[in-house]
Amino acid sequence: MVAIFALIVLVQIFSIVISAVFLNKSHNNQIFAELEHYAKSFGESINMPLVALLARDSHYRISIIDLNGNVIFDNTFDIKTLDNHLSRKEVQNLLRNQSPKAVRLSDSERKENLYFTRFITLDSQKCILRVSIEKDSLFSYLQNFMPLFMTLLFFSAILSVILGILLTRLITTPIKNINLSHPIKTNPYAELHIFMQAISKQKKKIKKQLKRIKQNKIEFDIITKNMNEGFFVLDAKGNITQSNAKALQILRLTPYNQHINIFTLMGDFTRAIKESINSGNQTFEISINEYFLQVICMPIFIKDKLKAIIILLFDKSLQKDIFALRKEFSSNVTHELKTPLSAILASSEMLCNGLVLEKDRDEFIARIYAESKRLLVLIDKILKISFLDSSLEKNHIERENLNLANLITNILPNVQNLANDKGTECAFVGNELEANVLGIPALLEDMIYNLSENAIKYSPKGSKVQIALESDEECVILRISDNGIGIAKAEQERIFERFYCIDKSRSKKLGGNGLGLAIVKRVAKIHNAQITLNSELNQGSEFIVRFDKA
Ligand code: ADP
């Protein structure tokens, strides 16, 4: 719009100046013709009284100048006041036989004098006749054009605004209608073809890049989502820009506050991160919420400026727990092994040294036998627990499709022998059930045997123990119940711990060592089965294990 306006104004100025110059010039030519005509009317030779007569009422200024430049007649000014005219342009022109016409500007430049000169003989003296007239100068013409110019300028401004809007619309509407999905097809201007080609190429390139970025993002999300480690990225200010599910879980963040500034939130963690960046030590260990973590903190510097911090969180809680449990387990094992071994050693030493009376020998030998058997059972259970722990750690267990009812039927005779020895009854309900689960037969047999053995062990003579199988849409449910001594609520959690016996001396008497339910718990875990306990003190207990159907 400004350009259109400027162009119109320029054209106007140009045409006004040209017209003014042209008008001025043609006016001057016309005046010169009149001046010449008038000068010639004086004839070749004239006398002063005739000059005075001719010049008296003339609207021209008539001067007669002698060849020395002195003005000897002038009808407008007193000749005494006039200086020598020899140097005047019109006089010089004539003397040098150049043009008889001359134009001189007034001091203000608003007026100009047009002169026509010719030689005449005045009273037999060769003189110069100068006829002149004053008129408006070119500058004055231009000034006269000013109001017209301003009016035109005003209309030009309006015209250029209207033209600008119309032209812009005319040009931009087709451009606006270009479909950027098909820039070449919908391009309305041939001049834009190369440009549209470039857009089309660029579009394809961007599309490809976007696809790649999208793919990378999907891959990145899948990888980070399934990572066991927490992963997140901070910007230089400490805002979380990226994070995976595990990191959100560890830091207890939700999708709503997942972009918080970590530096403003977590005191110890923030301090540790800052310290790690400053010291250059990228790894540290810290407890956050219920987690014990190994943290790897990688600051990213670009041109010595911290740009981002990548943080990896390795959950070491389990290892820490396992380490503590192993420590406790080893001391328990040592203690539990030492007891029967010491008894065996003491009895056998006394036998060897002949310190046992003949009548007591059988009793000593029986004690050695019983303790050795107890030792063997204990070692067997300890090895089982170690095996189950390492299987759980490795998380690689091959399971087969098996029928729990068949499995129970297999071990039922052994369990019933135990019950008979104790004077109790043991029945299996649900042996006709199609109770297929994925599992490891030997471990499941162990589990069912341990639970049944406990039910028999902790029930009085004449009581009834039941092994039952049921199934619903999704699960096969194993219930082993008794109406024995029951388990107090406070003990119900702890009985699954290794070496935990509610009453140590009672368990020892009954051949227990506190490992049976620890094994049961691990076997259930390996089979992703949920184990629950319903028990009332002195009323009996029911252990329920839910397996997913195969
Ligand atoms: P133990 O070898 O001592 O039986 P377990 O790990 O099998 O070890 O059992 C842990 C404790 O749980 C036992 O000492 C016992 O007090 C209690 N317990 C287990 N099963 C029963 C049950 N069916 N009835 C009552 N108490 C039980």
Side-chain angles (χ1 to χ4, degrees):
M1 216 177 289
V2 176
I4 294 172
F5 180 65
L7 192 74
I8 291 176
V9 170
L10 264 178
V11 169
Q12 278 171 4
I13 293 174
F14 189 68
S15 48
I16 285 171
V17 170
I18 294 276
S19 325
V21 169
F22 181 75
L23 273 174
N24 188 41
K25 185 125 181 115
S26 70
H27 194 195
N28 282 3
N29 286 343
Q30 194 189 340
I31 291 172
F32 275 126
E34 284 169 17
L35 286 176
E36 187 177 358
H37 181 74
Y38 185 73
K40 280 182 180 164
S41 70
F42 279 74
E44 292 298 319
S45 140
I46 195 165
N47 55 29
M48 191 56 96
L50 191 57
V51 169
L53 186 70
L54 284 175
R56 199 176 55 203
D57 295 323
S58 175
H59 60 280
Y60 298 120
R61 181 182 169 193
I62 295 155
S63 317
I64 296 185
I65 304 153
D66 68 15
L67 296 183
N68 296 322
N70 300 314
V71 181
I72 51 177
F73 174 82
D74 195 292
N75 66 345
T76 312
F77 296 101
D78 183 358
I79 55 170
K80 287 180 200 132
T81 60
L82 297 171
D83 54 2
N84 190 289
H85 276 33
L86 193 62
S87 60
R88 298 285 169 96
K89 191 178 164 192
E90 65 277 12
V91 175
Q92 282 296 317
N93 280 356
L94 191 70
L95 290 175
R96 287 182 192 148
N97 274 337
Q98 288 172 352
S99 168
K101 299 168 193 168
V103 180
R104 269 199 287 127
L105 268 177
S106 70
D107 288 344
S108 68
E109 297 189 353
R110 291 183 59 83
K111 296 280 179 194
E112 62 186 7
N113 286 303
L114 272 60
Y115 297 96
F116 186 84
T117 47
R118 63 175 290 233
F119 289 113
I120 56 163
T121 310
L122 177 70
D123 298 333
S124 64
Q125 183 191 352
K126 195 175 178 185
C127 296
I128 296 167
L129 169 68
R130 185 182 74 175
V131 184
S132 70
I133 190 163
E134 190 186 60
K135 67 172 264 292
D136 287 342
S137 68
L138 175 65
F139 180 68
S140 186
Y141 272 104
L142 285 174
Q143 271 191 336
N144 291 339
F145 272 113
M146 219 30 147
L148 173 70
F149 178 66
M150 292 314 284
T151 317
L152 281 175
L153 205 68
F154 173 72
F155 284 110
S156 309
I158 294 175
L159 188 72
S160 32
V161 170
I162 295 170
L163 258 177
I165 293 172
L166 283 179
L167 274 175
T168 316
R169 269 206 202 142
L170 211 70
I171 296 168
T172 54
T173 310
I175 294 179
K176 272 186 202 156
N177 289 338
I178 293 175
N179 181 349
L180 283 176
S181 306
H182 310 284
I184 296 176
K185 266 192 206 164
T186 53
N187 171 26
Y189 302 117
E191 295 84 347
L192 292 181
H193 186 70
I194 295 179
F195 184 55
M196 291 302 150
Q197 261 184 335
I199 289 183
S200 179
K201 254 189 200 167
Q202 200 62 27
K203 222 189 104 220
K204 275 183 198 159
K205 217 169 157 185
I206 291 172
K207 211 170 161 188
K208 249 189 198 170
Q209 275 171 351
L210 270 178
K211 206 174 157 190
R212 215 174 33 234
I213 291 171
K214 223 172 169 182
Q215 188 60 34
N216 286 349
K217 168 101 179 82
I218 291 170
E219 282 170 15
F220 179 80
D221 282 350
I222 291 172
I223 293 169
T224 54
K225 195 173 158 195
N226 293 310
M227 266 166 68
N228 286 329
E229 294 77 30
F231 163 85
F232 63 97
V233 182
L234 303 179
D235 65 14
K237 285 182 188 152
N239 298 310
I240 299 178
T241 54
Q242 297 228 37
S243 55
N244 70 348
K246 183 73 182 184
L248 296 184
Q249 182 190 339
I250 292 173
L251 301 176
R252 288 204 193 133
L253 296 174
T254 64
Y256 300 105
N257 61 357
Q258 62 176 325
H259 294 299
I260 52 144
N261 187 306
I262 215 158
F263 288 169
T264 58
L265 269 191
M266 325 207 168
D268 284 350
F269 189 38
T270 305
R271 259 193 300 282
I273 292 174
K274 285 183 177 166
E275 232 175 81
S276 153
I277 297 169
N278 292 337
S279 66
N281 185 7
Q282 293 197 338
T283 311
F284 60 89
E285 288 182 337
I286 194 164
S287 289
I288 300 175
N289 303 326
E290 71 271 21
Y291 294 92
F292 177 74
L293 302 169
Q294 185 187 21
V295 182
I296 296 183
C297 170
M298 288 173 280
I300 310 290
F301 289 95
I302 297 177
K303 289 186 185 159
D304 289 339
K305 229 177 157 196
L306 181 67
K307 288 285 171 191
I309 308 157
I310 299 171
I311 295 176
L312 279 169
L313 308 171
F314 294 89
D315 185 1
K316 297 276 174 184
S317 321
L318 195 67
Q319 280 94 322
K320 202 185 170 201
D321 289 351
I322 288 173
F323 182 72
L325 283 173
R326 279 211 179 122
K327 224 169 136 189
E328 188 202 322
F329 183 56
S330 331
S331 67
N332 276 334
V333 167
T334 320
H335 175 77
E336 293 296 323
L337 289 178
K338 243 178 161 179
T339 320
L341 264 176
S342 308
I344 293 166
L345 203 70
S347 302
S348 49
E349 208 175 323
M350 282 174 81
L351 277 173
C352 286
N353 295 336
L355 297 173
V356 181
L357 296 173
E358 194 55 40
K359 63 174 178 68
D360 297 328
R361 274 180 73 91
D362 287 351
E363 194 191 323
F364 267 77
I365 291 168
R367 195 183 299 158
I368 291 172
Y369 175 72
E371 289 298 337
S372 306
K373 217 171 133 190
R374 208 165 91 81
L375 196 62
L376 204 67
V377 171
L378 187 68
I379 290 170
D380 182 51
K381 287 196 171 172
I382 289 169
L383 289 176
K384 237 173 230 166
I385 287 205
S386 301
F387 165 75
L388 292 173
D389 278 345
S390 67
S391 300
L392 275 170
E393 250 178 76
K394 278 185 214 147
N395 206 11
H396 176 74
I397 302 139
E398 284 208 6
R399 288 176 288 180
E400 60 184 78
N401 193 335
L402 54 89
N403 187 315
L404 266 187
N406 293 344
L407 204 94
I408 295 168
T409 315
N410 288 345
I411 58 167
L412 196 61
N414 291 344
V415 177
Q416 279 171 336
N417 282 344
L418 262 183
N420 288 341
D421 292 349
K422 182 81 196 279
T424 54
E425 263 181 50
C426 179
F428 173 34
V429 184
N431 47 354
E432 73 290 346
L433 208 73
E434 275 291 315
N436 279 42
V437 297
L438 283 180
I440 304 152
L443 297 187
L444 290 174
E445 276 179 13
D446 251 355
M447 172 196 247
I448 297 162
Y449 187 85
N450 275 328
L451 289 172
S452 315
E453 188 191 27
N454 278 350
I456 295 164
K457 229 167 30 178
Y458 299 108
S459 298
K461 249 186 192 173
S463 60
K464 282 181 182 168
V465 168
Q466 192 183 64
I467 306 172
L469 268 187
E470 303 162 13
S471 80
D472 60 22
E473 293 236 316
E474 292 159 359
C475 298
V476 177
I477 305 153
L478 167 73
R479 293 174 192 272
I480 297 180
S481 51
D482 63 67
N483 39 21
I485 59 169
I487 303 160
K489 288 272 174 288
E491 304 283 358
Q492 289 184 6
E493 277 264 314
R494 299 213 61 194
I495 53 169
F496 291 96
E497 290 173 17
R498 287 175 299 195
F499 293 111
Y500 188 78
C501 304
I502 295 175
D503 182 338
K504 224 168 176 101
S505 64
R506 183 182 59 199
S507 281
K508 197 175 173 192
K509 225 187 279 169
L510 295 170
N513 45 35
L515 289 175
L517 288 182
I519 292 172
V520 167
K521 185 180 158 187
R522 282 162 178 74
V523 174
K525 200 167 178 188
I526 283 176
H527 288 83
N528 291 325
Q530 275 87 51
I531 184 160
T532 44
L533 166 63
N534 293 328
S535 184
E536 288 282 333
L537 207 57
N538 301 322
Q539 300 285 315
S541 310
E542 181 184 40
F543 286 85
I544 307 161
V545 192
R546 275 169 191 277
F547 296 91
D548 288 336
K549 269 188 171 169

